[in-house]
Amino acid sequence: VAAVEGTGYDCNPESFVMTAAVRETCLTTSSIGLSAYAWANADDFTAQVGSEVRCSVDSNLGELRSLQGDTWAVSAVPLSGSPTADNIDAIDSALEAVQATLGGEVVWTPCS
């Protein structure tokens, strides 16, 4: 969360989680929102990340972009719903800024 907030986002704890993850929702004045997830260990992360970092077909996103480490993930979505060239660029920039601090791998997950 500190790495996300270091890029200008304000994060707040989120009570709606589907797994053992701790989740915070992060917003700023940009056209995208981020969600930061953390698990207690790598086994829980591996078993549960797909249940948290996902989108449904009816979300109109097409795919969900996230940055993932061994026990954490940061996902990014456009606040307007459907992706546009501008908010896809904003998502990529936000994930790259967090990646510069935390490392991790950018993952594209098709909505299902």
Side-chain angles (χ1 to χ4, degrees), residues 20-22 38-49 69-72:
V22 174
W39 284 264
N41 58 62
D43 289 340
D44 286 349
F45 168 83
T46 300
Q48 300 173 7
V49 68
D70 293 337
T71 59
W72 57 269

Side-chain angles (χ1 to χ4, degrees), residues 3-98:
V4 173
E5 288 183 328
T7 65
Y9 284 80
D10 181 28
C11 300
N12 294 295
E14 174 69 51
S15 60
F16 180 75
V17 290
M18 299 175 66
T19 67
V22 174
R23 175 181 175 187
E24 295 214 12
T25 300
C26 307
L27 300 172
T28 187
T29 57
S30 78
S31 62
I32 64 169
L34 303 180
S35 292
Y37 305 86
W39 284 264
N41 58 62
D43 289 340
D44 286 349
F45 168 83
T46 300
Q48 300 173 7
V49 68
S51 296
E52 286 291 349
V53 183
R54 61 180 299 277
C55 54
S56 62
V57 172
D58 62 352
S59 69
N60 297 319
L61 294 176
E63 67 181 10
L64 181 64
R65 295 176 189 220
S66 63
L67 179 64
Q68 298 182 12
D70 293 337
T71 59
W72 57 269
V74 175
S75 63
V77 296
L79 297 176
S80 63
S82 298
T84 64
D86 286 343
N87 59 36
I88 288 172
D89 287 346
I91 287 170
D92 290 342
S93 293
L95 293 179
E96 287 170 7
V98 174

